Amino acid sequence: MEQTAPQKGTVTQRAIEQIKAMIGEGLLEPGQRLPTERDLATQLGISRSSMREAIRALTVLGVLEARHGSGIYVTQLNAGDLLETFGVVADLSRGARLVELMEVRRVLESTATALAAARITPEQLAEVELHLAAMAATDDPEEILSHDLAFHRVIATAAGNDTMAAILEGLSSRTFRARVWRGYQEEGAFERTGREHARIHRALVARDPEAARAAAAAHVGEVEAWMRSQLDAEPA
Amino acid sequence: MEQTAPQKGTVTQRAIEQIKAMIGEGLLEPGQRLPTERDLATQLGISRSSMREAIRALTVLGVLEARHGSGIYVTQLNAGDLLETFGVVADLSRGARLVELMEVRRVLESTATALAAARITPEQLAEVELHLAAMAATDDPEEILSHDLAFHRVIATAAGNDTMAAILEGLSSRTFRARVWRGYQEEGAFERTGREHARIHRALVARDPEAARAAAAAHVGEVEAWMRSQLDAEPA
DNA sequence: AAGCCGTAGTGGTCGGACCACATCTCTGGC
DNA sequence: GCCAGAGATGTGGTCCGACCACTACGGCTT
């Protein structure tokens, strides 16, 4: 009697764990192509349907990538691939957790900005200035939001920690930011964010990590404080 | 001609987005029971197989929960539920990204410990001391690891930011920590971590946030530095 | 030699059948 | 009358087989 699978959980869950384990043990390298769904199902002794569910699960986690007509591949397992799901959290959060997320962002963003102050390259600094100018040149909220995101993305990248940058990216996902901004910008917070961005930029130019940390913390803290007030106003 | 679905992406992906949107718009409350798989499939005009893949995807993301024989439910959407996937990232990361993750953990853990110093309750402090004593009382690595995790978990909880605590939890997932410790503890780092824990505890007792921040940063920083050296030693 | 086109192979979708489990209902005995 | 047990019902879990949509490759045509 061969009892290779000790019957724990659903077969799909088992398949997920097994594939994860294969990757963890290095049996499957990033970018590598997996056997076909049909073969995988046979190998693990389950039906193709169940195997497909397992693959779909690992796909949304950013571990696998399915290309129609071609095959299933292991992703590069970059921080960005794996942390994409972080955006889901931000999009589904409301009320108190939004504030908590902003607190996390404040901590990480200020650290990232401080690191960037020490490490940013002239090219990256030029890019920062480009987005800064673009924000000042228009009053289209959509465009401003777009450059705002890019502004912080460049800085996060310049910090040199891809993982941290990926997390911050998730905490700034488009729908998330759009939701916050909707009410925020209507209170004349436009020019203030402009000043704050300028202050961050000055700190980067001066290569002053502490000033950069303070400026970034204040910048995110402003939004955080506003959200806190909103939360108190209508605790629904 | 009704073209409700403008044909973008796979039907499964569309189903995932639609359910996510329903939750985002508040049509589905946390804890609420969804229609049956069969009904949902009919409503969205897709097959049950595809719907099941969508449900499975949202299940691994911690958004939905399927109970065999009972139904499908929206989770409480707690930070813990949604950020459980964060552990996957930690488990699948190697080499440089491990160091990056530790850097993120250092930043968040030091902040959380600082917050805890200001907010921790006597009960929580007693729990901290309990794990501290337990770690000193045994030399079984498994048990020490267990209490080490609990030690930091209590502190993270005491910080009052569930989201931050959930992220730190993911960054300390059992398999992740076990992998790091395997080589780490063999270098006489046992007593050092003991001293570091004691230092964190003293800062908490003294309700000194800055001392707590420094102690936590040093604690995580030690491991981080060790990992960096390992990375340089064998850049494979 | 270059481009076209057919074909085999792959993931994507579908429908149906059956199983395992949870829950409620109805029955029977106490 | 009440409670425990057996049954019926409905649910998610698994499997199968078929077909569609797309990609990639190779041979064919020009």
Side-chain angles (χ1 to χ4, degrees):
Chain A
M1 268 168 250
E2 49 171 326
Q3 45 187 27
T4 51
Q7 286 280 55
K8 49 176 177 181
T10 69
V11 293
T12 303
Q13 195 60 37
R14 243 180 298 159
I16 293 176
E17 300 299 339
Q18 291 193 39
I19 295 180
K20 257 198 319 192
M22 280 193 255
I23 296 177
E25 295 169 8
L27 297 179
L28 294 176
E29 294 292 322
Q32 183 177 337
R33 184 176 180 280
L34 275 67
T36 69
E37 292 180 346
R38 294 161 174 89
D39 289 348
L40 274 175
T42 302
Q43 285 180 30
L44 298 188
I46 65 178
S47 73
R48 194 188 160 203
S49 312
S50 302
M51 178 54 70
R52 274 190 61 77
E53 286 187 27
I55 293 171
R56 172 71 62 178
L58 290 170
T59 297
V60 300
L61 288 180
V63 175
L64 297 183
E65 180 192 1
R67 300 181 204 159
H68 192 169
S70 173
I72 308 166
Y73 300 81
V74 181
T75 67
Q76 291 304 316
L77 297 179
N78 286 331
D81 297 330
L82 297 174
L83 289 170
E84 205 167 316
T85 66
F86 207 89
V88 179
V89 182
D91 288 339
L92 259 51
S93 298
R94 265 178 297 176
R97 184 150 67 252
L98 277 182
V99 179
E100 294 187 352
L101 283 169
M102 283 310 267
E103 195 172 340
V104 171
R105 188 185 160 213
R106 174 164 52 83
V107 173
L108 292 179
E109 185 97 38
S110 56
T111 300
T113 308
L115 287 172
R119 300 177 181 170
I120 196 167
T121 67
E123 292 77 20
Q124 290 170 326
L125 195 55
E127 203 176 338
V128 167
E129 287 161 358
L130 189 136
H131 293 299
L132 202 57
M135 273 186 278
T138 181
D139 58 354
D140 173 23
E142 271 302 313
E143 200 170 344
I144 292 184
L145 176 59
S146 197
H147 285 290
D148 183 25
L149 288 173
F151 174 82
H152 290 290
R153 177 158 40 230
V154 175
I155 294 176
T157 302
N161 186 325
D162 289 343
T163 303
M164 198 179 294
I167 295 176
L168 285 172
E169 182 73 22
L171 289 176
S172 308
S173 78
R174 196 161 189 84
T175 64
F176 174 64
R177 276 295 259 291
R179 236 172 54 211
V180 174
W181 272 52
R182 202 169 302 161
Y184 185 54
Q185 63 187 24
E186 289 176 359
E187 308 191 2
F190 253 155
E191 50 178 325
R192 179 171 59 205
T193 60
R195 282 199 307 273
E196 290 166 354
H197 282 158
R199 201 171 137 219
I200 291 173
H201 172 247
R202 275 199 306 276
L204 293 178
V205 172
R207 297 203 163 275
D208 185 339
E210 277 314 308
R213 161 171 271 118
H219 178 49
V220 180
E222 279 289 343
V223 185
E224 188 186 333
W226 175 81
M227 280 177 47
R228 248 181 243 276
S229 71
Q230 290 295 101
L231 191 62
D232 293 339
E234 49 171 334
Chain B
M1 270 172 245
E2 49 170 327
Q3 46 188 27
T4 51
Q7 285 279 52
K8 48 177 176 178
T10 69
V11 293
T12 302
Q13 195 60 40
R14 243 181 298 159
I16 293 175
E17 300 299 337
Q18 293 193 36
I19 296 180
K20 257 199 318 193
M22 279 193 254
I23 296 177
E25 294 168 10
L27 297 180
L28 295 176
E29 295 292 323
Q32 183 177 340
R33 184 175 180 281
L34 276 67
T36 70
E37 293 180 345
R38 295 162 174 88
D39 290 347
L40 274 175
T42 302
Q43 285 180 28
L44 299 188
I46 65 179
S47 73
R48 192 187 162 205
S49 314
S50 302
M51 178 54 70
R52 273 190 61 77
E53 287 187 27
I55 293 171
R56 173 71 63 175
L58 290 170
T59 296
V60 301
L61 289 180
V63 176
L64 297 183
E65 179 191 0
R67 300 181 204 158
H68 191 168
S70 175
I72 309 167
Y73 301 80
V74 181
T75 68
Q76 291 304 320
L77 297 180
N78 287 330
D81 297 331
L82 297 173
L83 289 170
E84 207 167 314
T85 66
F86 210 91
V88 179
V89 182
D91 288 340
L92 260 51
S93 297
R94 265 179 298 176
R97 183 149 70 250
L98 277 182
V99 178
E100 293 188 352
L101 283 169
M102 283 311 268
E103 196 171 341
V104 171
R105 189 188 157 210
R106 175 165 51 83
V107 173
L108 292 179
E109 185 96 39
S110 56
T111 300
T113 307
L115 287 172
R119 300 178 182 171
I120 196 167
T121 67
E123 290 76 21
Q124 290 170 326
L125 195 55
E127 202 175 342
V128 167
E129 286 160 1
L130 188 137
H131 294 298
L132 202 57
M135 272 187 278
T138 180
D139 58 353
D140 174 21
E142 271 303 313
E143 200 171 342
I144 291 182
L145 175 58
S146 196
H147 285 288
D148 184 23
L149 289 174
F151 175 83
H152 290 289
R153 176 157 42 229
V154 174
I155 295 176
T157 302
N161 185 323
D162 289 343
T163 303
M164 198 179 292
I167 296 176
L168 285 173
E169 182 73 22
L171 288 176
S172 308
S173 78
R174 196 161 188 85
T175 65
F176 174 65
R177 276 296 259 293
R179 237 171 55 211
V180 174
W181 273 53
R182 203 169 302 161
Y184 185 56
Q185 64 186 25
E186 290 177 357
E187 307 190 2
F190 253 154
E191 50 178 325
R192 179 170 58 208
T193 59
R195 282 198 307 273
E196 289 166 356
H197 283 159
R199 200 171 138 218
I200 292 174
H201 172 247
R202 276 199 306 275
L204 292 178
V205 172
R207 300 205 163 270
D208 185 340
E210 277 313 308
R213 161 172 271 117
H219 178 49
V220 180
E222 279 290 341
V223 185
E224 186 186 336
W226 175 80
M227 281 177 47
R228 248 183 244 277
S229 71
Q230 291 295 100
L231 193 61
D232 293 340
E234 50 171 332

